[in-house]
Amino acid sequence: MAVALVTGGTSGIGAEFARQLATRGWDIVLVARDLTRLDETATALRALGRDVEVLAADLGDRHDVDRVAERLADPTRPVDLLVNNAGFGMHTPLTSPDVAAHDLAFEVMCRAVLVLSGAAARAMRERGHGRIVNVSSTAGLMAMGSYSAIKAWVTSYSEGLSVELRGTGVGVTALLPGWVRTEFHQRAGIKSSSIPNALWLSTEQLVVACLRDVDKGKVISMPTLRYKVLMGLVRHAPKGAVRAASAAISSSRREPVGR
């Protein structure tokens, strides 16, 4: 039976990956920090008739990351699909003297992706098959502080890993969502009313499109034609224009101080 491990699997995009994969007949390993939410999500997935394993882990803690990596490497319980989804928004200025928030973001969204993808890739390569999905962002094509820099790294890393694994039977896909209706934006203090309705995606349509791209072996998954067109323009626009657009988006989407 195929098994998928999903980090950040109790809410938003991660929970939707888990739900859709369970519906497809996959057994699930759920990874998240909150044990209560892990148990609640696992109960809902088990109602679909799937086996669900829960693994409480904080991916900002290197010991916990190593525990998840050990699970991915376990030859007696192979994982066929890894979804690196755990993450959070970043508004801390790049000039802030306190780099704690940047450190945590690097640990969760860069180092954990590196360690877990590596562990999964080695195990999958040995078996001759497997898939890795790293949730990046269209923000990685913009210039919006640490978050953009981190997601640019995730996309570039995923492309590099796909090259390294070429011919092994292991595929790698970087998912680049745009704005998706989840609790992510509320947690990050993003003023969602400033985003045009036409740019919002549901988690369901995002994950459906991504899994279709994974099945096709695509390295970059950017769901919907409107985002492909919009980000195509961003890629070819003058860098000064991209920076100006990034500044406008960053200033318009922050919640006012005190709210």
Side-chain angles (χ1 to χ4, degrees):
M1 186 62 65
V3 176
L5 186 148
V6 184
T7 70
T10 59
S11 64
I13 294 171
E16 185 62 23
F17 265 110
R19 186 191 69 79
Q20 288 195 31
L21 288 165
T23 300
R24 284 184 169 207
W26 290 68
D27 290 335
I28 307 295
V29 181
L30 283 174
V31 178
R33 291 180 300 171
D34 189 324
L35 189 55
T36 299
R37 295 188 72 169
L38 276 169
D39 289 339
E40 290 172 351
T41 305
T43 297
L45 295 174
R46 289 176 184 134
L48 299 173
R50 307 318 314 157
D51 288 336
V52 182
E53 176 184 346
V54 297
L55 184 52
D58 179 351
L59 298 187
D61 182 318
R62 293 191 176 189
H63 174 72
D64 281 7
V65 172
D66 288 344
R67 288 195 299 108
V68 180
E70 288 170 5
R71 176 63 185 87
L72 287 163
D74 187 347
T76 66
R77 298 179 295 166
V79 171
D80 305 283
L81 170 63
L82 166 64
V83 180
N84 274 313
N85 165 76
F88 51 87
M90 280 285 294
H91 282 325
T92 304
L94 294 171
T95 53
S96 173
D98 183 357
V99 298
H102 298 294
D103 284 341
L104 180 59
F106 292 153
E107 290 288 329
V108 174
M109 294 185 280
C110 290
R111 187 181 183 278
V113 170
L114 173 72
V115 173
L116 300 185
S117 294
R122 290 188 295 273
M124 293 173 181
R125 183 175 58 194
E126 184 71 20
R127 296 193 300 270
H129 66 88
R131 294 290 182 269
I132 297 168
V133 176
N134 292 326
V135 179
S136 184
S137 174
T138 53
L141 301 174
M142 305 295 286
M144 296 183 288
S146 268
Y147 190 75
S148 284
I150 284 168
K151 291 305 184 179
W153 182 89
V154 173
T155 300
S156 181
Y157 166 77
S158 300
E159 291 184 283
L161 184 60
S162 75
V163 171
E164 189 171 320
L165 294 172
R166 185 174 295 171
T168 66
V170 182
V172 182
T173 300
L175 171 61
L176 276 65
W179 285 285
V180 184
R181 293 196 184 279
T182 70
E183 61 191 64
F184 173 93
H185 298 90
Q186 286 74 31
R187 288 178 175 176
I190 295 172
K191 188 169 60 175
S192 59
S193 60
S194 65
I195 310 302
N197 284 333
L199 292 180
W200 285 102
L201 302 175
S202 70
T203 56
E204 182 177 5
Q205 67 184 133
L206 178 78
V207 173
V208 164
C210 180
L211 292 177
R212 184 168 55 240
D213 287 343
V214 170
D215 290 341
K216 292 177 180 177
K218 290 189 176 183
V219 176
I220 300 295
S221 176
M222 191 180 296
T224 77
L225 178 60
R226 60 184 177 270
Y227 269 106
K228 288 183 174 72
V229 172
L230 182 60
M231 291 302 113
L233 293 173
V234 168
R235 282 191 175 111
H236 292 94
K239 290 295 186 181
V242 174
R243 290 191 293 271
S246 299
I249 293 170
S250 296
S251 62
S252 68
R253 70 181 191 171
R254 290 194 181 95
E255 293 286 2
V257 174
R259 285 188 60 187

